[in-house]
Each structure stands twice: as C-alpha cells, then as structure tokens.
Amino acid sequence: MLLIEHIQSFIRRYNDRSQTFRIFEISVVLWFIFHSIKLWQSIDLIVALDPFFAKPVARFPFGFDLFVYNLSPKAFIGALVLFMALSLTALFIEMDFFVKATLWFLYINLLTCCPPLADGGTTLLATLWFFYAFIDLKSLDGSRFSIKDVFNSVLIFSMQYQIVIVYIQAALSKIRTDGWSSGVALYYILQVPEFTNPLFSDLIVKSDVLTVTLTYATILFQLVFPFAILSQKSKFVVIFLGILFHLGIASSMGLMCFGIFMTLTYLLFLTNEDLKRMRYFYSVIAKNLLKIAS
Amino acid sequence: MKAWAIKKPVIQGCLGIAVALLLLHNFLLTVSLIPANPLSIRYAHQAVNYINRLSPQGWFFFTPVPTKSHMVVFRDAALGPGAPWQNPFLDAIQKHRRNPFGFSEKVAYIHMSLSRDLAIFFEMMLDAQEVDKEKALKNDPIYRQLISFLHFYGGKDMLVEWQFVEYVVPRFSERAVHDALIENILMKGFVQL
C-alpha cells in the first residue's frame, strides 16, 4: 500500500507542470506564427514548384500518413491562413484537445506538401505536438489521483524522451563519424553557402583552437545532456548551456526556426516548482542589481 | 452513476492501450536510432519503416559533415555563350546571411532541397552504367521540379541553358592551399520554357 502511495505521489510530482506547459503552449504557438510568416513570404515560390504537391508515393498503415492529404496549391494557401488564424486565437485562450488536434492536422499537412521546407525541428514538433494534444492541462492540477495521471505522465515522459533520444543519437553518430571524431566537423559545416553567417564562420574557421574546441564541446554537451537533465542540480546548468548551444547554431548557421524551436523544448523538462525557483532566483538578482544601481 | 460504471472500464482500457502504444513508439524510436546491435538488427526493418514516416528528412541530419554543396545556375540561351550565369537563389541566400531572422530562410531550404535531390540523381546515374542519362533525367520528377523552378525565375517562352554545379570543400589539411571551394560542373542542358 505504501509503495502504491509512493508511486502515486511520484507521478503527481512528475505531472506538476500545468504552468510550464502553458508557457510551452504559448511559445510553440508563437513559433507557429513565426514559421507561418516565413512560409507566407516564400509562398509564390512554394506554389510554383509543382512536384512539391505530388501525392505521397505510398501510405504506411501506421503513423501520421493516415492523416495526410494531398493539398492543391490553393488549398495549401487556405490551410496556411487557417493555421495562422488558429495560432493567433490560441495565444489568448487555453486550447482544448480539438484546437490542438486541428493545429496538428494543419501543421503536418502543410509540412508534408512541401518536404523541402521541413527541418529537424519542424518534424520533431509534429510528434511532440501530437502527444501534447492529448494532455489536458486542467487534469495536471487535479486533486485526486486517477488513471489519467498515469496516461499524462507517460505522455510527458514520451515528449521528453523524443528530445533526449535526439541528443543520444546525435552524440553516438558524431563519435563514429570521421569529421566529428577528428575535431574538424565545424570547418566543413561552416562552408555550406546557404547556412553560413560569414561574421561567425570566418572567426571559427580561421582558428584551429575554436574549430576543434567547439566541435568536441558539441559532442560533449550532447553526451552529457541526457544524464544531466535528470538531476535537479545540473538541470538548470545544462538547459542554460543548451540555450547557448542552439542560439549559437541559429546565429552561426542561420537555422533560426530550428534553433529557436529546440530552446523551447527545454520547457518540457521544467516543473511548476522549477518555475518558482527560477522566479525567486531572478527576483534576488534583480534586487541585488537594483541595490548596486542605487 | 450507472453510465459511469459502464464507461469507466472502457476509458481505462483505452488509456491502457494508449500507454502501451506510447511505450511501443519509444521502443521503436530507440531501436531505430541506436547503433546496430543484435536487438536493433532484429527489429530494425519495422522500426526504421515506422520512424522514417515520422521524420521524412531522416534522423541522421543531426550529424552533418558536408564535404560539398551544389547549385543550379542558368542563363538565357539567346544571349549566347558569353552571357553571365545567374543563380536565382543568390539574393535570398545573401539576405539570409545578413539577417537570419528575416524571411529568406525557407527559400534557402528550397534551394538546398532541389540541389540535394539533383545530387542524389547524379550519384545514381554514376552507378548506372548502361542508362541514357539525359532520358533518365527527363523522366525523373526532379526534372519537373527543376523546370518549374527555372520557369519561376527564368520567365516564359525562352530557351534556357542550365548547369548543375558542385562545390567541393577543400580538405581541412589543404585549406591553406585552396582558399575557395573547388567547382565541378556535374550536369548541363537546355530547356524550352
């Protein structure tokens, strides 16, 4: 009996994320709007590239293919407008399952129509938002333990696991890849004309110390992340480093959508308690700064 | 109260199935992404089939080491062989370099994708010895994509000469010798828009 109560208490503490998830929800919706505006700016080119709207070659009996339809260019524009309107509305109201599911449905159809527009972050978000649609924020604050709490905790765990496995996979592949294991991968990456910001790339590529250090630091960070994120003590440090890491990718390679999205995913690892601690931490810093200023 | 008594086991059953599916998803994700081992080899086919559907781009883009990049350039054939080559994406790429927060990011993605698909086609043609490469290209969907792209930037009712160019990044040990990317023309042709 004691063990069951212990497990229930653990699950309740694990699910204590209603506030951080609401922040995650708002952040992702803002990202949806940012991404949609970027799509809208290139809409002429997107609809002109006819084969981008080709039917999927084969449908897989499982997975997201069941929900993907072949949009014509006009339907694509309509879906994009609806997606933007729904995202704007979702900023001001707490979304229920149907709103989240509709956003997800529009999102995967927009992406599947134009595979070239997808990047690692956009495809990862399709899975994350699918799981997120089933989470009822109100039930996370429920006073009595129920089977739904178990379901919620498995959903939350699965969302976190998507992120963690990306880091594990990236670290393991990098260790086994020549450019990364020899410490020169950044030199090659920063030569791709589409995704190179000369301001940063020249600085890094011209310095062997920076190239090798940043290449190995990337592998080290990705190796450490899955373990450090589990500990209450190291969680904040690794999230801070992760934000620096992804903003570094965003600014040096110009992968803005991807970089910003990956930093948002760290919200999934924070509980309401962590949020309180952060508020306290920042209030102390603000007070000290005010004291110094006065 | 009675209705709830009937519904409760059904709801619990559905939630139980959903939990099992989520755990299965996590298992397949792990099997498909970890390095090859006896367990992953046994389930690799099912796992990779399932996971690749969730991420059509593939999962290994998180480990990029690009040793080359590609570009499509074109010019109006009526202007003769001396006319300068145009890269219609250059403007978008330069804007994106100057301001990554701007709106050229997606255009750069489209360019990357078109170039990547053409590069894949070229690699396939290198392996296939007995194939009429020009005919194969014209039957490939990527050619339709290339034409619609030239159409968008090049205009209508004109003969356009195009080239698909590869830029090889000099090896790290030779970066002092080659201060620029090494250019190779992989494919070229004419197309009536």
Side-chain angles (χ1 to χ4, degrees), chain A residues 202-228:
Chain A
D202 287 355
L203 187 77
I204 297 168
V205 168
K206 280 179 184 163
S207 160
D208 289 0
V209 176
L210 270 179
T211 303
V212 174
T213 309
L214 290 175
T215 303
Y216 286 142
T218 304
I219 302 176
L220 189 66
F221 167 73
Q222 292 183 330
L223 272 177
V224 167
F225 181 87
F227 306 100

Side-chain angles (χ1 to χ4, degrees), chain B:
Chain B
M1 192 68 191
K2 236 179 184 178
W4 173 242
I6 298 164
K7 274 182 189 170
K8 203 176 171 186
V10 178
I11 293 168
Q12 284 180 344
C14 289
L15 288 177
I17 291 169
V19 167
L21 286 173
L22 279 169
L23 296 176
L24 178 68
H25 163 84
N26 291 333
F27 172 73
L28 291 174
L29 186 65
T30 311
V31 164
S32 67
L33 295 183
I34 56 173
N37 61 61
L39 189 69
S40 70
I41 290 167
R42 191 182 303 168
Y43 298 106
H45 180 67
Q46 294 89 334
V48 169
N49 253 340
Y50 167 70
I51 292 302
N52 280 351
R53 291 287 165 165
L54 298 186
S55 178
Q57 199 188 359
W59 292 79
F60 289 91
F61 53 83
F62 290 111
T63 314
V65 191
T67 51
K68 24 177 120 153
S69 64
H70 299 87
M71 208 159 274
V72 179
V73 290
F74 73 98
R75 64 184 175 193
D76 185 352
L79 297 176
W85 291 102
Q86 294 175 42
N87 173 7
F89 284 107
L90 198 62
D91 184 44
I93 291 169
Q94 282 173 346
K95 272 187 193 162
H96 180 56
R97 278 179 180 176
R98 280 195 298 270
N99 175 21
F101 285 101
F103 300 110
S104 308
E105 185 177 359
K106 293 294 162 189
V107 181
Y109 265 94
I110 292 171
H111 175 247
M112 279 264 287
S113 168
L114 179 78
S115 307
R116 186 186 56 218
D117 291 350
L118 275 169
I120 292 169
F121 174 85
F122 181 77
E123 292 288 329
M124 274 166 50
M125 287 301 107
L126 276 186
D127 296 338
Q129 300 294 330
E130 301 291 319
V131 177
D132 180 346
K133 286 170 190 164
E134 199 173 321
K135 199 176 167 189
L137 177 66
K138 284 184 178 166
N139 288 329
D140 199 278
I142 185 66
Y143 188 69
R144 227 172 81 215
Q145 196 169 312
L146 177 71
I147 290 176
S148 61
F149 148 75
L150 292 175
H151 210 85
F152 183 77
Y153 281 108
K156 287 175 184 173
D157 303 324
M158 62 191 285
L159 186 67
V160 163
E161 186 181 3
W162 62 271
Q163 277 188 351
F164 181 54
V165 192
E166 172 188 75
Y167 295 95
V168 182
V169 179
R171 290 176 64 85
F172 184 77
S173 53
E174 294 165 4
R175 68 197 188 287
V177 184
H178 304 279
D179 57 350
L181 303 178
I182 302 152
E183 186 181 311
N184 297 319
I185 297 165
L186 299 184
M187 287 187 276
K188 55 184 177 180
F190 289 88
V191 61
Q192 179 69 45
L193 299 178

Side-chain angles (χ1 to χ4, degrees), chain A residues 229-246:
Chain A
I229 201 73
L230 296 174
S231 157
Q232 198 61 43
K233 284 179 185 166
S234 55
K235 186 197 273 185
F236 292 102
V237 178
V238 83
I239 286 179
F240 176 71
L241 290 176
I243 291 170
L244 287 184
F245 171 64
H246 285 293

